[in-house]
Amino acid sequence: MRPARAPVSIAALFASRAQPARAQGSSLDRAPKVGFVSLGCPKALVDSERILTRLRAEGYEISPTYDAADVVVVNTCGFIDAAVDESLDAIGEALERNGRVIVTGCLGARPERILARHPRVLKVTGAHAYEDVMDAVHEHVPPRHDPFTHLVPPQGIRLTPRHYAYLKISEGCNNRCSFCIIPSMRGRLASRPIDEVLREAERLVDAGVKELLVISQDTSAYGADLRYRSGTWRDATYETRFIDLARGLGSLGAWVRLHYVYPYPHVDAVIPLMAEGRVLPYLDVPFQHGSPSVLKRMRRPAHAEDTLTRIQTWRGLCPQLAIRSTFIVGFPGETEAEFSELLDWMDAAQLDRVGCFKYSPVEGAAANALPDHVPVPLQEERYARFMERAGAISAARLKRHVGSQMRVLVDAIEGGTAVARSAADAPEIDGVVRIAGARGLAVGDWADVMIVGADAYDLSARLLH
Ligand code: SF4
């Protein structure tokens, strides 16, 4: 199985040479132009989309090159040290090529780290600080339009292909996993009211989106901070909670894919919606380990749940359910016995899609203080053993699909081959379905196919209609 992607660059929109700095607040006889570099996870991508939407609404143009931009916004990631380095490099590149740079995103929660290396940045704001970013842009490149009198598409500006969109339902997280510093960077759980989320989803579907990818830090906790407050949408009352969200989204006629769900008992209620075809039979559950003692040291949400029984219950209710997860091997103190427990857990769980990270310390994380860090060569060895086991499970599970029919969504056309995804494949992180000789298909099309082959990660198919 494919390792999960490190939370690094999703879109970097530039090339080209340096631009001399302009005087602050200079007035322009053309639309002001903002360059944008977006790094990090899908949650950061949604932040970028919101800022871009505001910029376009106010008459800013988005510049594809550094030299044509009046100012550059860099949306950073600070999840692991590699992502911090990539963010600092991106800021340096923007400074070198343009000179006028505003920094936002997760790394913005640690401005001292940015300013120590790049003291010339114009402004540093934290994650999802849209207003602060806009204020900084206004200060350095004044707008020419009033956002309330100029139109942008009702679905806003998006960086994803037209046929799918990320739907962020909350910010922040109330958990305190010992390896993670996201709560200190992005704050406590702050859910968006249900009616607001459902209206946004409706606008996206009206604009041609065929797949909604629900994201947050902890989707199963949705609404707890709002005490599950009610809202009205399409003349019906919904509570701001996980199951009502799934019901509402499931009525839109699009694929609905649930990410970052934790295995709490209340999650069971969504499985019948999957069996009925209203929500995709797909759950992204970041289990992270199979050993209860390691999960306890990780301080994982739902670490005391009997996850294997829960998986069995889900599959009993919805046999076609695909479960995706990520894992960390070599967590501090992980013994050979605990690692074997993880492998045994994998054999029993038979997950469909698995990504794996070798543990690496993150500045400020509680896990750094744990004793008995696992040496890197042993981490490498465990990673290889884990991936071999996971790859064999994936290959066996994919093979079961050969000879079956399925509906897929086309993401790309490469030569005469359509690269599509099934219900079991989220974009960017899971496998694909390759359809050879797919004449007549276009990006964003549905296709009904017969599966004719499988390898460890991907399927190949023949077009039926
Ligand atoms: S659930 Fe854990 S890993 Fe995920 S954001 Fe919250 S604290 Fe971090």
Side-chain angles (χ1 to χ4, degrees), residues 173-177 179-183 217-218 262 300-301:
C173 180
N174 287 351
N175 301 311
R176 289 293 177 269
C177 301
F179 55 80
C180 177
I181 56 168
I182 283 177
Q217 304 295 347
D218 180 356
Y262 288 96
R300 289 296 288 165

Side-chain angles (χ1 to χ4, degrees), residues 298-312:
M298 289 178 167
R299 296 194 214 143
R300 289 296 288 165
H303 72 262
E305 297 293 332
D306 178 354
T307 47
L308 288 176
T309 305
R310 179 124 283 121
I311 289 169
Q312 228 174 10

Side-chain angles (χ1 to χ4, degrees), residues 141-391:
V141 189
R144 294 177 80 215
H145 295 273
D146 179 337
F148 299 104
T149 58
H150 289 81
L151 291 177
V152 289
Q155 73 277 20
I157 309 296
R158 290 184 295 110
L159 297 173
T160 44
R162 192 165 174 266
H163 58 283
Y164 68 80
Y166 293 102
L167 183 67
K168 183 149 69 168
I169 58 168
S170 62
E171 302 282 1
C173 180
N174 287 351
N175 301 311
R176 289 293 177 269
C177 301
S178 59
F179 55 80
C180 177
I181 56 168
I182 283 177
S184 67
M185 291 194 293
R186 298 184 86 94
R188 288 182 64 76
L189 176 71
S191 303
R192 298 173 61 202
I194 185 86
D195 46 328
E196 183 186 313
V197 173
L198 292 174
R199 276 197 300 274
E200 180 183 341
E202 190 174 23
R203 281 195 299 273
L204 289 167
V205 173
D206 288 347
V209 166
K210 293 176 174 169
E211 178 178 2
L212 296 163
L213 299 119
V214 175
I215 55 168
S216 69
Q217 304 295 347
D218 180 356
T219 296
S220 28
Y222 176 60
D225 55 310
L226 297 181
R227 296 173 186 247
Y228 310 111
R229 185 198 302 158
S230 299
T232 305
W233 176 66
R234 289 182 169 178
D235 298 328
T237 301
Y238 292 80
E239 290 189 348
T240 304
R241 66 166 75 232
F242 177 68
I243 188 64
D244 278 22
L245 174 76
R247 277 199 200 101
L249 295 177
S251 69
L252 285 168
W255 272 7
V256 176
R257 195 179 293 284
L258 300 173
H259 288 280
Y260 312 109
V261 176
Y262 288 96
Y264 288 111
H266 73 267
V267 170
D268 296 1
V270 83
I271 308 296
L273 297 181
M274 296 179 174
E276 289 163 21
R278 291 163 67 189
V279 173
L280 280 182
Y282 177 99
L283 267 185
D284 171 9
V285 188
F287 287 110
Q288 305 298 19
H289 213 279
S291 158
S293 46
V294 175
L295 289 168
K296 198 167 173 198
R297 289 203 296 284
M298 289 178 167
R299 296 194 214 143
R300 289 296 288 165
H303 72 262
E305 297 293 332
D306 178 354
T307 47
L308 288 176
T309 305
R310 179 124 283 121
I311 289 169
Q312 228 174 10
T313 307
W314 292 343
R315 287 196 170 131
L317 293 167
C318 180
Q320 69 272 37
L321 175 68
I323 303 176
R324 162 181 183 82
S325 191
T326 48
F327 292 85
I328 297 173
V329 293
F331 189 73
E334 183 188 66
T335 61
E336 184 57 34
E338 286 170 334
F339 180 68
S340 295
E341 254 183 301
L342 168 60
L343 294 184
D344 292 346
W345 188 95
M346 290 288 293
D347 284 343
Q350 294 287 302
L351 301 186
D352 300 87
R353 302 290 190 185
V354 172
C356 184
F357 293 99
K358 286 159 272 185
Y359 171 79
S360 72
V362 177
E363 194 183 315
N368 298 350
L370 289 172
D372 304 322
H373 281 236
V374 179
V376 170
L378 188 53
Q379 283 190 328
E380 301 278 358
E381 189 220 306
R382 287 182 183 166
Y383 176 82
R385 283 162 67 197
F386 178 91
M387 290 310 291
E388 192 185 339
R389 187 73 60 99

